Amino acid sequence: EVKEAEPEQENDDFTLLKSLAEGQRSKETNETPVRESLEKEPYFPDESDSTKNRRLVEDYDSTKMENGKYQDDPESFRQVDGTPLTAEDIVQKIATKIYEEDDRGVFDRIVSKLLRLGLITDSQADSLEYEVAEALQDLITKNAKNNEIEDLGEDYPVTREDDDEDQAAIDDDVDRGEGDDTVDNTWDRESEGEGEEEERSEGERDEGNELSPEDGLQDLQYFPNFYRLLKSLDSEQDAQERETLITIMKTLIDFVKMMVKYGTITPEEGVSYLENLDAMIALQTKNKLGKTLGIPGIIPPTEDDDNTKAEAAKMQKEYENLKDSTKEEAPSTETRDHPGKSEIYLEAIRKNIEWLKKHNKDEGKDDYDLSKLRDFMDQQVDSYIDKGIIEKGEGETIKRIYGSL
Amino acid sequence: MNRFVSLVLLWTLVVLSSTGPVTGAEEGEISFEYHRYEELRKALVSVWLQCPSITRIYTVGESFEGRELLVLEMSDNPGTHEAGEPEFKYIGNMHGNEAVGRELIVYLAQYLCNQYQQGNESIIDLIHTTRIHLMPSMNPDGFEKAASQSGELKDWFVGRSNAQGVDLNRNFPDLDRIVYGNEKEGGANNHLLNNMKKAVDENTKLAPETKAVIRWIMEIPFVLSANLHGGDVVANYPYDETRSGSTHEYSASPDDVIFKSLAKSYSQFNPVMSDPQRAPCRKNDDDTSFTDGITNGGAWYSVPGGMQDFNYLSSNCFEITLELSCDKFPAEDTLKTYWEENRNSLVNYIEQVHRGVKGFVRDLQGGAIFNASISVEGIDHDITTAKDGDYWRLLAAGNYKVSAYAPGYLTVIKKVAVPYSPAIRVDFELESLVERKEEEKEELMDWWKMMSETLNF
């Protein structure tokens, strides 16, 4: 399906993510070619140590990406002159976005969601607001002078037309007469299970967003719902949404890869993040868009990675158990069930740790004793496994999560 | 870094879902969906993982098909009965196709954990002063059957009974008949199942789920409880079985006054239940016994062998039956509304456990007296002390004479003025008969001595 290059994405809050993806994929083609003149990054909560942010940025050095550097790397976590992105840049980008959309609601929406989810504190929100307001004011002043919309990345060839052409060319090759062909080359397998190569199928594509073996992440089989969602967005007005979604998914996969690569999370955790994401997509799609995505087929892993195999086999088994007693009636329930339970558990554990930290701080106590907590949890988990309350695999996941804290 | 990825993930998901508004912080944290058995198990495990210092999961036994009858316990010291701390339970889904109660209990667990961590003072206080047991499903086998039905409309009966076809709410030993007999001819007014353990173990008619719950009742000194159903909207209180055996007859228990108050304490916060203009669930339903969202069981229709009356007549636990939805297994997208209608009621009803009088019964040396009886003048139903000598006697506001009695001890009577809430603390120190005799003997000796000195013996 031939697609125009993305029109203004700026109405989407997650454009920020998208540009992150642009930066991430040093080698990939852009099916989602939003060559924004602006680099938009998601705002990271104000870590007390700003050098942390900086390090993050450096990690995304495209030259370090396993897939090699893509010849044309228009956007990355770097300024035009190659210096890494700083927190100030990020604030700048948000301010610019607000300016261009002329909608302060952008900021409010993002921040209120972050607050509600407990991911930033009130004071972090306040300081963000302050900084963005300042940056915005500067922008307004500057632009009043220039009397035109500012192009932050003016050294960039922001030729949307170019992008269109690239995209069109790519899309033509991708086209297989299905609605969802702009899916990244890693997802060119049909949901019905045509066994397409996960690699690129077109010449001009570089190595696809292929995940390294040690991650054990097989894209498509963990995103059947996402794939279905894309398929369901086959109308003209959905085109934009689809592009955005694709970019987001890619971004997330890359993030997870990065995290795994740098040892921040284990491959299994990475797998389960993404598994749970797919499940959430099914759920949210059903809840919010009123669509049901159908029962995903479980595609057995082909990787040699034992962990993912075990993970997927477990899912398979659970699914079988469910399948016996269920009908079409509750597909989204099933979807929710088999993938990503470790993500749910991870989230629950995270909340507990956060509460402990806050609670001890409030009461003026010393930091909670992590090793004692870990021992206690290990003990409880074992006891629960004995009683049939937790499955062995789940128990191991929980212990592992605590072990990695 | 983890936080970063979570942030990104959550942000994306939040944005993906941004086509609809999410109202209220707590609603955003609970996912209003049906939970099949595995999902139920995981949901409870997640609550435990999030709040391990105030929760514990345990199982009271297995269903006929081997599913665990899971309970999530919430208290400041999970796993232990703290002396003087009342025990409370919610049981849902004993009829497998009555699904709303099951889900509400799961959401309640999530809600209490979230609110606790967010510093909600009244929830924190409730959890610190109560031991709350939440059993989302007493009939997980039935639920699976009901949930497996395809199509929008679930059959009125499929999944109601357990896997053996037993209606669990008719399966409990019928103690109503015994108490009605005792009312006429004299006899005990409480703890009517003699040799309870033996009776349960040897009764072949009891379903495994029923047995498990009876053992649970015997083991934990529950004070207050509710049993969640569907198919109508009302709070139902004892007695369920009519005295005369007729199909409809108001059958008051000795604690009719407090039961009405307890039932109302639930219905008043549920806008549907307490709506005087509410139309009956079905055109030909007879709602004449409903007032203020409550009804006496027998007045509505006679139910023999039910769990509610069994609680009251075999143990110290006061239980009511909550009917929460006209539709027994409504569509998933209505669950959020049911939660909103019931959330305040569910929490407020737990708080009712802190009413009446409570305290300890001890001997003169300060030792706990277990199984002492607490009687209230004018109410023909006694309760007994638990192992630490602790007791909780639910009473409506008023003036009462409360007495403590134990075999071999002298009864002590105290006058108490009881407010609506909180519970008034009344402790008893009981003198044993032996001690009394010794005292009397000493008094006698003293008198003899005095007499002999005076009269110069």
Side-chain angles (χ1 to χ4, degrees):
Chain A
E1 172 183 318
V2 179
K3 292 184 51 79
E4 292 296 330
E6 290 307 318
E8 277 296 290
Q9 288 289 324
E10 319 216 301
N11 288 328
D12 296 325
D13 292 347
F14 41 67
T15 304
L16 294 174
L17 266 181
K18 194 198 306 256
S19 59
L20 198 63
E22 307 296 334
Q24 279 278 49
R25 292 166 298 139
S26 55
K27 39 23 196 185
E28 288 158 33
T29 52
N30 350 316
E31 297 72 19
T32 55
V34 181
R35 304 301 194 90
E36 297 288 334
S37 57
L38 309 166
E39 296 181 22
K40 296 190 176 61
E41 315 297 346
Y43 179 76
F44 304 119
D46 187 30
E47 308 279 14
S48 52
D49 177 2
S50 65
T51 56
K52 253 194 218 173
N53 271 342
R54 191 171 284 273
R55 178 181 172 270
L56 251 180
V57 161
E58 282 161 5
D59 290 343
Y60 293 126
D61 180 354
S62 59
T63 58
K64 292 188 196 153
M65 296 289 283
E66 59 238 336
N67 295 318
K69 193 168 168 49
Y70 188 57
Q71 26 176 319
D72 193 18
D73 182 19
E75 293 184 63
S76 68
F77 267 100
R78 291 173 185 280
Q79 295 282 34
V80 176
D81 59 359
T83 58
L85 221 46
T86 65
E88 291 80 65
D89 300 322
I90 294 169
V91 168
Q92 196 58 239
K93 289 171 194 314
I94 296 179
T96 310
K97 183 171 172 189
I98 294 173
Y99 179 79
E100 298 204 334
E101 289 192 44
D102 196 26
D103 177 20
R104 208 218 115 89
V106 167
F107 178 86
D108 289 341
R109 281 195 295 281
I110 295 171
V111 168
S112 69
K113 275 171 185 161
L114 292 174
L115 277 171
R116 199 187 311 132
L117 292 167
L119 293 165
I120 61 172
T121 65
D122 280 329
S123 68
Q124 284 166 341
D126 286 347
S127 50
L128 171 61
E129 186 166 344
Y130 182 71
E131 286 172 58
V132 168
E134 272 194 327
L136 190 56
Q137 188 52 50
D138 289 342
L139 261 178
I140 293 171
T141 318
K142 235 188 289 178
N143 286 313
K145 284 197 203 135
N146 298 339
N147 201 33
E148 64 183 3
I149 293 180
E150 178 168 18
D151 247 340
L152 273 190
E154 56 249 344
D155 289 356
Y156 279 60
V158 183
T159 46
R160 202 162 286 284
E161 300 69 23
D162 289 349
D163 301 341
D164 288 356
E165 283 168 11
D166 286 345
Q167 183 55 25
I170 291 160
D171 285 335
D172 279 337
D173 289 284
V174 178
D175 191 286
R176 263 175 254 109
E178 303 288 337
D180 51 346
D181 299 336
T182 50
V183 172
D184 184 25
N185 53 7
T186 56
W187 298 319
D188 47 22
R189 195 191 323 190
E190 300 292 350
S191 64
E192 287 71 40
E194 278 176 26
E196 295 267 347
E197 275 280 316
E198 288 204 340
E199 321 292 317
R200 67 278 179 179
S201 54
E202 288 71 43
E204 54 266 55
R205 298 212 185 161
D206 237 354
E207 289 189 32
N209 186 12
E210 185 183 1
L211 299 158
S212 62
E214 60 262 26
D215 291 344
L217 294 174
Q218 293 285 359
D219 289 304
L220 183 56
Q221 71 190 11
Y222 287 105
F223 299 99
N225 288 304
F226 179 73
Y227 200 80
R228 279 180 183 76
L229 174 61
L230 289 179
K231 277 185 79 172
S232 73
L233 294 174
D234 55 8
S235 70
E236 262 311 302
Q237 64 252 50
D238 289 333
Q240 175 177 326
E241 180 133 350
R242 183 188 313 145
E243 292 308 318
T244 309
L245 287 170
I246 290 166
T247 310
I248 290 169
M249 285 303 275
K250 283 198 234 173
T251 306
L252 290 170
I253 290 178
D254 287 340
F255 278 150
V256 172
K257 279 167 60 183
M258 187 65 60
M259 294 299 130
V260 170
K261 179 179 171 186
Y262 287 92
T264 310
I265 60 176
T266 67
E268 295 79 22
E269 280 161 7
V271 167
S272 55
Y273 278 135
L274 297 170
E275 288 169 21
N276 192 55
L277 178 61
D278 193 56
M280 284 301 284
I281 288 171
L283 170 63
Q284 295 298 350
T285 306
K286 183 165 184 275
N287 287 348
K288 303 301 175 185
L289 304 181
K291 300 176 191 177
T292 309
L293 292 174
I295 307 174
I298 294 199
I299 304 148
T302 53
E303 278 290 321
D304 285 338
D305 184 74
D306 288 338
N307 283 335
T308 18
K309 218 190 232 171
E311 190 84 42
K314 229 187 311 169
M315 283 165 28
Q316 179 89 35
K317 178 166 169 290
E318 280 191 83
Y319 182 64
E320 296 297 346
N321 288 340
L322 272 187
K323 232 178 21 172
D324 290 344
S325 57
T326 61
K327 307 251 176 74
E328 289 294 322
E329 152 75 15
S332 53
T333 315
E334 294 174 26
T335 311
R336 274 198 296 285
D337 182 83
H338 66 271
K341 59 177 176 294
S342 45
E343 171 60 21
I344 302 169
Y345 290 170
L346 186 66
E347 184 55 27
I349 292 171
R350 183 188 72 79
K351 285 186 184 162
N352 180 38
I353 300 297
E354 264 181 42
W355 177 78
L356 278 170
K357 286 198 180 122
K358 177 171 185 297
H359 187 67
N360 283 328
K361 200 158 41 117
D362 288 348
E363 312 229 321
K365 296 191 204 140
D366 294 329
D367 243 358
Y368 68 99
D369 187 339
L370 177 59
S371 63
K372 214 159 135 204
L373 174 63
R374 191 185 306 144
D375 289 341
F376 170 72
M377 295 304 286
D378 279 359
Q379 219 177 53
Q380 289 290 91
V381 165
D382 284 336
S383 149
Y384 284 4
I385 291 173
D386 281 341
K387 297 186 179 139
I389 295 169
I390 289 185
E391 286 173 6
K392 202 151 192 286
E394 290 176 327
E396 271 153 31
T397 302
I398 293 169
K399 283 186 186 175
R400 203 173 45 233
I401 293 173
Y402 265 97
S404 71
L405 288 175
Chain B
M1 286 285 198
N2 256 344
R3 203 178 151 77
F4 163 51
V5 184
S6 297
L7 166 67
V8 169
L9 267 175
L10 288 166
W11 190 1
T12 308
L13 299 173
V14 150
V15 165
L16 276 175
S17 68
S18 65
T19 47
V22 176
T23 54
E26 66 252 17
E27 263 66 86
E29 291 163 330
I30 298 177
S31 180
F32 296 101
E33 60 202 37
Y34 276 115
H35 295 75
R36 301 291 286 259
Y37 177 71
E38 279 298 306
E39 291 152 348
L40 175 67
R41 190 178 59 77
K42 282 167 196 158
L44 295 180
V45 171
S46 300
V47 173
W48 169 65
L49 287 173
Q50 185 183 336
C51 291
S53 62
I54 56 164
T55 62
R56 179 182 79 105
I57 303 179
Y58 63 96
T59 164
V60 302
E62 285 181 5
S63 69
F64 184 75
E65 288 175 350
R67 294 181 176 87
E68 298 296 338
L69 302 177
L70 294 168
V71 178
L72 181 89
E73 173 197 337
M74 301 190 80
S75 86
D76 55 347
N77 207 343
T80 41
H81 172 83
E82 293 180 306
E85 186 178 59
E87 309 253 4
F88 176 94
K89 65 176 165 27
Y90 272 127
I91 303 183
N93 196 225
M94 78 187 297
H95 290 142
N97 61 343
E98 294 170 17
V100 173
R102 170 188 173 113
E103 298 309 326
L104 291 185
I105 294 176
V106 174
Y107 305 154
L108 180 65
Q110 295 168 341
Y111 175 76
L112 292 175
C113 167
N114 290 337
Q115 288 297 304
Y116 186 92
Q117 290 189 330
Q118 285 165 30
N120 180 328
E121 290 199 8
S122 60
I123 300 290
I124 292 174
D125 191 58
L126 186 63
I127 290 177
H128 284 183
T129 55
T130 324
R131 199 174 166 214
I132 303 166
H133 304 256
L134 304 172
M135 178 190 274
S137 177
M138 186 185 159
N139 185 1
D141 298 348
F143 180 82
E144 292 301 316
K145 222 184 260 162
S148 307
Q149 292 181 86
S150 58
E152 277 309 307
L153 233 39
K154 302 240 187 302
D155 187 280
W156 197 250
F157 292 108
V158 170
R160 172 189 173 88
S161 54
N162 84 338
Q164 302 163 302
V166 174
D167 182 339
L168 297 177
N169 206 31
R170 304 288 185 280
N171 189 229
F172 283 78
D174 186 352
L175 302 179
D176 295 46
R177 291 261 67 83
I178 299 177
V179 84
Y180 292 154
N182 291 358
E183 280 171 1
K184 293 199 206 126
E185 285 143 32
N189 67 15
N190 66 97
H191 291 81
L192 297 175
L193 193 63
N194 293 323
N195 298 316
M196 229 165 141
K197 189 170 184 313
K198 192 154 173 269
V200 171
D201 291 343
E202 294 177 359
N203 186 335
T204 53
K205 292 214 196 86
L206 296 179
E209 295 89 349
T210 311
K211 277 194 187 175
V213 167
I214 294 178
R215 290 194 187 107
W216 190 32
I217 291 171
M218 292 194 304
E219 193 180 300
I220 297 184
F222 290 109
V223 178
L224 181 64
S225 160
N227 149 20
L228 275 50
H229 287 248
D232 219 308
V233 185
V234 72
N236 173 111
Y237 56 89
Y239 284 125
D240 265 345
E241 187 181 345
T242 55
R243 264 190 189 81
S244 65
S246 68
T247 48
H248 308 270
E249 179 188 77
Y250 195 106
S251 303
S253 71
D255 279 292
D256 196 57
V257 173
I258 181 68
F259 269 122
K260 289 215 282 269
S261 176
L262 291 168
K264 257 189 223 161
S265 79
Y266 190 94
S267 68
Q268 73 187 55
F269 290 104
N270 179 325
V272 176
M273 208 181 269
S274 55
D275 176 2
Q277 313 297 338
R278 182 178 75 80
C281 289
R282 289 150 292 272
K283 218 165 40 141
N284 297 326
D285 277 359
D286 181 4
D287 280 4
T288 48
S289 65
F290 296 9
T291 43
D292 298 333
I294 70 173
T295 182
N296 168 261
W300 187 17
Y301 65 97
S302 185
V303 170
M307 184 164 72
Q308 170 195 273
D309 288 0
F310 180 83
N311 269 278
Y312 181 70
L313 294 172
S314 72
S315 77
N316 294 317
C317 184
F318 285 23
E319 178 165 296
I320 66 173
T321 303
L322 298 171
E323 302 274 351
L324 300 172
S325 59
C326 285
D327 191 350
K328 287 186 177 181
F329 206 137
E332 189 171 65
D333 57 19
T334 61
L335 289 175
K336 179 160 187 251
T337 306
Y338 282 114
W339 167 249
E340 283 161 3
E341 287 167 2
N342 283 283
R343 180 195 57 227
N344 295 337
S345 293
L346 287 166
V347 174
N348 186 55
Y349 184 73
I350 303 176
E351 284 168 358
Q352 302 298 300
V353 82
H354 297 284
R355 282 178 71 182
V357 287
K358 64 167 184 182
F360 289 83
V361 179
R362 299 189 177 102
D363 59 27
L364 290 184
Q365 287 72 46
I369 302 181
F370 169 45
N371 235 3
S373 289
I374 300 288
S375 276
V376 177
E377 192 182 69
I379 300 181
D380 189 16
H381 181 83
D382 302 342
I383 55 120
T384 58
T385 58
K387 298 209 177 87
D388 296 304
D390 40 355
Y391 76 93
W392 308 264
R393 207 328 169 173
L394 296 172
L395 290 169
N399 295 317
Y400 299 91
K401 280 197 199 142
V402 182
S403 50
Y405 159 78
Y409 290 85
L410 287 164
T411 303
V412 173
I413 306 176
K414 295 196 179 187
K415 283 192 187 155
V416 193
V418 175
Y420 178 90
S421 86
I424 295 289
R425 175 77 180 261
V426 179
D427 290 344
F428 295 87
E429 280 73 44
L430 301 188
E431 183 180 22
S432 73
L433 292 168
V434 169
E435 279 165 331
R436 189 76 190 115
K437 270 219 187 79
E438 290 296 321
E439 259 177 54
E440 284 170 358
K441 211 159 117 183
E442 263 180 55
E443 272 174 33
L444 201 63
M445 295 302 290
D446 284 343
W447 179 84
W448 180 254
K449 207 160 133 198
M450 184 199 73
M451 285 300 288
S452 51
E453 277 167 10
T454 312
L455 301 171
N456 234 7
F457 293 3

